[in-house]
Amino acid sequence: MSRAEADAVAGTGTPVPGKSAPAAPETGAPEAPGPAAGPASASDSGPRPVRLAWTLGLFRSELSITFRRWRTLALLAVLAAVPVLVGIAVKIETSDGGSIGGGGPDGGGGPAFIAQVTNNGLFLVFTALAATLPFFLPMAIGVVAGDAIAGEASAGTLRYLLVAPAGRTRLLLAKYATTLTFCLVATLVVAVSALAVGALLFPLGEVTTISGTRIGFGDGLLRALLIALVVAASLIGVAALGLFVSTLTSSGIAAMATTVGLLITVQIIDQIPQLHAVHPYLFSHYWLSFADLMRDPIYWDDLVKNLGLQALYAGVFGSAAWARFGAKDIAT
Amino acid sequence: MAPYEPEQDTNEADELSAGRRKAARYVVPLAVAGVAAATIGLVPALATSGDPDLKDITAQELIEKIAASDTEQLSGTVKISTDLGLPSFGGSGLAGGFGPGAGGGGGEGGKGSAADPSAKLMELASGTHTLRVAADGPDKQKLSVLDDAAEYSLIHNGDDVWAYDSASNEAYHSKEAGKQEGRKGEKELGKELPATPKEFAEQALKAADKSRTSVKVDGSAQVAGRDAYRLVLKPKESGSTVGQITIAVDAKTGTPLKFTLSPAGGGSAVVDAGFTKVDFGKPSASTFDFKPPKGTKVTEESDAAKGKGGEHGEGFSGVEGGGLNVIGDGWTSIAELKTPGGQGLPTSGSGADSGDVPPEAEKFLNSLGDQVKGDFGSGTVFKTRLINALITDDGKVYVGAVTKDALVKAANAAH
């Protein structure tokens, strides 16, 4: 759907209580941000709550536009299908009583935790996340983040957005927040789909951690949720990178392709042992550390490194995106 | 400024100033990156500086302190990195240097269960690994090797010894039941390869003969957030490939916290094992409580013994039956072995003889080593950064943490 339509839908679809603020700027009346804004709102130094409501309104409208796109829904559907495929494959392979991976000194092949799936369906959550985290999830994030600014620019709607008295920084923040929300939603879609498939196909019950100790099912579910959150947080870096790339170009496709290309390049570099000196600085290097949450006691070192690295990427590329976008001439 | 304009003062006519403002924005990401780089670079440097002030102690007192240390309850994380130069050789080499159980490395073939301890622990002999250890008295110990998204645990709880490999979801079980063989099995599990700094330190102190070793206390250090003394052992005689051994000993409990073995040839440490985190409190009881999860393939020791008994028996009979002869003692001791089938491959004790090795492979093997000649005939020296081995053409193997010349000398003397 076109931007103007979408905003119209968003404006009516998510009314801010007591205000028509989000829809107002689209009317092209920047000095009249709605009756509820109060007398001081015409100037840039309006009261704080109003600004907050504005930012939230912008965020909400962005959110509903993003999640109403067919593209986004298709990405989520693909992500939801991965655990189904993995679950069915494991079920078929083990239906004759054999174990997955066939044992042997190398252990089971395939994604992490796959050997435990037959014992406990909850492990399908971890397997599915381990299978989607290297490529599917960040690719989806790359598409959404790459589209954030460049997509608007190529559709010719960016300048209309900037007509709104929200300011470029807040538009950028709203875009980034939307991308991060998508990270969380995408991860949860994988996790919930995996949990459903795991519960249908395999038994549930007490969970054996990879350290060999046992924890209750409730505790296991809690850890699964924690893992999903950590996986979502692992994508913060890609999201910031994608947003920065998106501010560099006016072509949405180019931004998406560049982001996904960077993702693949980084993954390849991470596999080359001769380049081990740069590995700790690659955003994908500590991704699989989420598995450390399944140790008992939890091994925090790599998890902390991962989250720190993501924060660093968010800081560097987020501010780079701000620097680029704030000073950019918007021609379209 | 008006909100619909770019966030810069476009009213200003000076284009140059606008350009400068644009450029100034990019200072922010650069500053963020710079601050991060500085933090990464400086924080560890700051953290390690400032060795703790500890009261002076003599080397003798420190060694007694280690011996008197009765730390029975501890849990922590150990980082161990081994760099022998030749990874595949390293496995048996390390054991050969430290333990008489060197011949027991036959498990490397990895037949049977993936959770077989002897095969798994061999992996520790090369590369960098993170281990977790927990102990509560003599009956409860746990050693876990942390892999990527998987873990290998060795749990000793009372009469049971469990090994659990989460990657393949297989377990290995042996009952101790107080029998003699059981004891041996346990010893084999825990002690064949030293993994914790304490075991390394014990082995090193055992090997260190006072008359041949210079032992001194060399200042203090911080290991895993604890104050520690540094004990330095240096072989006095020449011919050893061991440069020096540094052991960091916890000042309060006398527990060795870090073990570093530097080769005489210089370069990075061959073995570096140290706690990165340590806690002398009682670990929770559930740590040692293992029950194989449903669907786990469990290999009982009695089953496995059938498959592996031959190899192990060979290894042990080799040690006990006089096939292994130790020449000299202290740092320059050299083990002499006879390979079963004439000329042997460097994997000592694996029983794989090179009689059937195709000529190309033999050529390749020879290219790995140096050809040497002496009174004993001729042979090949295989080198790592710590352990060297001489395999003579008549099938004798001399192994030790000694230089090539010392090996040839020993072979000549034995001839």
Side-chain angles (χ1 to χ4, degrees):
Chain A
M1 73 181 77
S2 81
R3 176 83 218 189
E5 263 180 81
D7 278 342
V9 171
T12 53
T14 58
V16 180
K19 291 187 187 72
S20 59
E26 261 73 22
T27 62
E31 72 283 354
S41 65
S43 78
D44 204 33
S45 55
R48 265 247 166 282
V50 176
R51 287 188 139 211
L52 192 70
W54 270 85
T55 315
L56 276 181
L58 192 63
F59 173 53
R60 279 192 206 193
S61 102
E62 283 302 327
L63 209 57
S64 74
I65 290 163
T66 306
F67 282 96
R68 276 160 199 249
R69 281 209 176 102
W70 281 111
R71 184 195 303 157
T72 314
L73 296 179
L75 282 172
L76 291 177
V78 168
L79 286 171
V82 172
V84 180
L85 282 177
V86 174
I88 292 176
V90 170
K91 187 74 182 172
I92 290 173
E93 197 180 330
T94 55
S95 57
D96 55 350
S99 70
I100 192 101
D106 305 329
F113 301 118
I114 201 161
Q116 281 104 321
V117 170
T118 43
N119 311 337
N120 198 323
L122 190 60
F123 275 95
L124 191 59
V125 176
F126 313 138
T127 308
L129 287 174
T132 48
L133 183 54
F135 190 72
F136 285 105
L137 276 173
M139 188 195 68
I141 308 306
V143 167
V144 170
D147 196 43
I149 302 293
E152 302 279 4
S154 63
T157 45
L158 187 55
R159 55 181 154 175
Y160 298 114
L161 271 177
L162 291 177
V163 161
R168 294 188 177 196
T169 308
R170 265 185 287 173
L171 176 65
L172 200 65
L173 279 177
K175 289 283 189 188
Y176 191 48
T178 309
T179 314
L180 292 186
T181 312
F182 179 74
C183 294
L184 188 63
V185 170
T187 314
L188 288 178
V189 162
V190 175
V192 169
S193 156
L195 188 61
V197 175
L200 274 177
L201 295 181
F202 305 104
L204 295 174
E206 263 195 341
V207 183
T208 304
T209 64
I210 54 178
S211 301
T213 58
R214 274 168 302 148
I215 53 177
F217 183 68
D219 205 358
L221 265 183
L222 201 68
R223 291 211 189 193
L225 180 66
L226 209 56
I227 282 179
L229 292 180
V230 167
V231 169
S234 303
L235 299 166
I236 289 175
V238 189
L241 188 64
L243 195 67
F244 172 59
V245 171
S246 189
T247 60
L248 293 179
T249 167
S250 318
S251 157
I253 302 292
M256 291 182 215
T258 311
T259 310
V260 175
L262 276 172
L263 169 75
I264 296 171
T265 315
V266 163
Q267 303 259 34
I268 290 172
I269 292 174
D270 203 21
Q271 297 301 317
I272 302 175
Q274 282 79 5
L275 298 175
H276 63 90
V278 299
H279 286 175
Y281 306 102
L282 300 177
F283 58 80
S284 66
H285 187 65
Y286 296 109
W287 272 358
L288 282 182
S289 69
F290 76 82
D292 291 347
L293 284 168
M294 279 309 288
R295 303 188 199 281
D296 190 33
I298 295 169
Y299 183 66
W300 288 104
D301 292 23
D302 285 354
L303 285 165
V304 170
K305 276 186 201 158
N306 181 25
L307 296 181
L309 194 65
Q310 301 306 328
L312 177 63
Y313 268 82
V316 172
F317 286 103
S319 55
W322 168 81
R324 164 75 188 164
F325 187 56
K328 195 183 178 187
D329 292 324
I330 308 297
T332 53
Chain B
M1 85 187 88
Y4 48 85
E5 280 170 354
E7 283 177 5
Q8 51 181 322
D9 203 348
T10 45
N11 293 337
E12 203 160 333
D14 194 352
E15 282 291 317
L16 216 97
S17 163
R20 211 172 288 153
R21 272 167 172 272
K22 272 187 189 182
R25 286 179 156 258
Y26 287 95
V27 172
V28 178
L30 288 178
V32 173
V35 167
T39 317
I40 292 168
L42 284 179
V43 166
L46 289 175
T48 50
S49 70
D51 288 342
D53 261 340
L54 295 171
K55 71 176 172 69
D56 286 343
I57 188 170
T58 66
Q60 188 56 38
E61 280 168 356
L62 191 55
I63 291 174
E64 277 163 15
K65 199 176 172 114
I66 298 174
S69 149
D70 55 351
T71 310
E72 291 206 321
Q73 293 176 340
L74 130 168
S75 55
T77 310
V78 176
K79 196 156 201 170
I80 170 169
S81 27
T82 326
D83 178 14
L84 285 158
L86 256 182
S88 60
F89 195 167
S92 32
L94 180 72
F98 281 107
E108 211 165 0
K111 274 179 272 178
S113 171
D116 194 327
S118 54
K120 195 75 191 182
L121 288 180
M122 272 298 160
E123 286 178 13
L124 288 183
S126 67
T128 300
H129 298 268
T130 307
L131 272 66
R132 270 188 165 169
V133 291
D136 183 10
D139 285 340
K140 286 183 176 180
Q141 287 117 27
K142 180 168 177 176
L143 173 78
S144 312
V145 185
L146 274 58
D147 296 328
D148 284 343
E151 194 165 324
Y152 177 80
S153 313
L154 205 55
I155 303 153
H156 171 212
N157 188 358
D159 287 343
D160 292 304
V161 177
W162 282 99
Y164 177 63
D165 180 31
S166 84
S168 57
N169 201 24
E170 286 183 20
Y172 181 91
H173 180 222
S174 80
K175 271 256 179 229
E176 231 185 359
K179 281 191 295 181
Q180 197 59 32
E181 270 125 282
R183 289 265 164 231
K184 201 190 221 169
E186 193 257 329
K187 194 178 147 224
E188 181 196 317
L189 289 179
K191 299 282 185 270
E192 182 176 296
L193 271 173
T196 62
K198 186 177 164 67
E199 287 160 24
F200 274 120
E202 277 169 0
Q203 298 276 10
L205 287 174
K206 222 189 283 168
D209 188 334
K210 243 185 238 154
S211 59
R212 296 161 197 265
T213 314
S214 96
V215 182
K216 62 172 195 257
V217 178
D218 182 24
S220 56
Q222 272 231 314
V223 177
R226 297 186 65 94
D227 297 346
Y229 291 106
R230 276 158 47 97
L231 183 69
V232 177
L233 311 178
K234 242 185 207 160
K236 275 182 186 161
E237 52 207 322
S238 64
S240 171
T241 49
V242 176
Q244 71 168 39
I245 291 175
T246 312
I247 303 168
V249 184
D250 185 44
K252 279 209 190 76
T253 61
T255 311
L257 295 178
K258 193 173 165 73
F259 174 95
T260 314
L261 194 159
S262 317
S268 61
V270 172
V271 179
D272 185 37
F275 280 102
T276 53
K277 244 183 226 127
V278 67
D279 178 10
F280 290 102
K282 185 180 162 76
S284 87
S286 67
T287 311
F288 308 103
D289 176 27
F290 179 78
K291 211 171 80 184
K294 274 182 303 192
T296 303
K297 189 180 146 203
V298 178
T299 312
E300 293 288 334
E301 191 186 32
S302 52
D303 304 344
K306 280 182 190 122
K308 292 184 41 71
E311 283 176 66
H312 264 272
E314 220 170 86
F316 277 110
S317 72
V319 173
E320 282 146 23
L324 179 110
N325 183 17
V326 178
I327 306 166
D329 52 4
W331 295 102
T332 51
S333 61
I334 294 167
E336 183 190 359
L337 305 138
K338 288 186 184 65
T339 52
Q343 190 183 24
L345 285 172
T347 45
S348 58
S350 68
D353 45 68
S354 66
D356 328 311
V357 175
E360 293 85 6
E362 208 173 314
K363 215 162 149 190
F364 172 69
L365 270 175
N366 286 343
S367 74
L368 286 177
D370 300 341
Q371 300 293 327
V372 289
K373 280 193 170 61
D375 293 347
F376 62 88
S378 63
T380 313
V381 173
F382 294 93
K383 282 169 137 178
T384 68
R385 293 182 63 218
L386 181 66
I387 309 291
N388 292 330
L390 166 65
I391 299 171
T392 64
D393 289 347
D394 54 356
K396 278 185 186 165
V397 183
Y398 299 88
V399 188
V402 294
T403 58
K404 186 170 117 183
D405 295 341
L407 277 179
V408 173
K409 221 163 90 186
N412 284 341
H415 179 67

